[in-house]
Amino acid sequence: HVDEAAARVKRQVPRPGGIRFGSLVHALLADVPFGDEGLDALQRLSEAHGRILGATNQEVEAARELVRGVLAHPVLEAAGRAARNGQCYRETPVTYRLDTGALVEGYVDLAFRDGASMVVVDFKTDRELDEALERYQKQVSIYATAVGRTAGLSTRAYLMRL
């Protein structure tokens, strides 16, 4: 089961889209520290990643504001608590063999231990998310199964629309 609606992040301002913007947001979410330290580092990180990706000032500002909102979400606050205990993983490679024998490889955007379970989060910035929602839900569900079996724990999966 993938919980998509509960992980929706409220957009404060209209924002750009596209591959470069999505890459910028993902890079920030992979690197920004949790808590107050992250808010302090967000300006510097967004400018650095923006330069690397050739992002416009509008994209950098929008990504920074979006990530600031994501960090305040309860799921990310729980990830911050797990990170302080060394139980949080970002942009982690995963390889998993399905029951059919097919091999699935990818990167988990965020996984962390929350009590007696693991939480797996996949961030999506796609504007056309509704058209591919089923595919993305299946993807995060497979990642959650892989993480849960590896950790020997139950899992909760979130598809976080940004």
Side-chain angles (χ1 to χ4, degrees):
H1 171 71
V2 177
D3 187 352
E4 186 265 330
R8 206 177 281 249
V9 175
K10 183 179 178 187
R11 292 185 184 156
Q12 301 298 321
V13 294
R15 65 161 178 84
I19 293 171
R20 182 174 57 201
F21 181 74
S23 295
L24 177 57
V25 170
H26 272 82
L28 290 174
L29 288 168
D31 289 349
V32 70
F34 291 108
D36 292 337
E37 181 184 339
L39 295 177
D40 293 341
L42 191 53
Q43 177 81 27
R44 180 179 42 79
L45 284 170
S46 63
E47 290 172 2
H49 281 297
R51 276 192 305 277
I52 291 167
L53 293 168
T56 67
N57 289 338
Q58 179 190 15
E59 289 170 325
V60 170
E61 183 178 331
R64 184 172 45 243
E65 291 306 309
L66 181 59
V67 170
R68 183 175 285 122
V70 173
L71 290 173
H73 191 280
V75 170
L76 275 285
E77 289 176 345
R81 290 189 295 274
R84 288 189 289 278
N85 294 322
Q87 298 178 324
C88 183
Y89 312 92
R90 293 164 147 181
E91 291 297 325
T92 302
V94 63
T95 303
Y96 182 68
R97 188 167 306 279
L98 300 175
D99 293 337
T100 63
L103 191 64
V104 176
E105 295 180 306
Y107 283 86
V108 173
D109 290 340
L110 176 65
F112 61 93
R113 186 163 181 165
D114 187 28
S117 65
M118 293 295 293
V119 175
V120 176
V121 181
D122 195 29
F123 301 113
K124 293 297 178 197
T125 58
D126 298 358
R127 288 188 172 167
E128 296 82 26
L129 181 62
D130 291 333
E131 296 170 14
L133 184 59
E134 187 176 319
R135 180 169 49 95
Y136 289 143
Q137 287 175 330
K138 184 175 182 178
Q139 175 188 16
V140 72
S141 179
I142 290 170
Y143 289 172
T145 299
V147 168
R149 288 195 181 159
T150 300
L153 298 170
S154 63
T155 58
R156 294 189 318 270
Y158 289 92
L159 184 59
M160 189 171 282
R161 283 185 188 222
L162 308 179

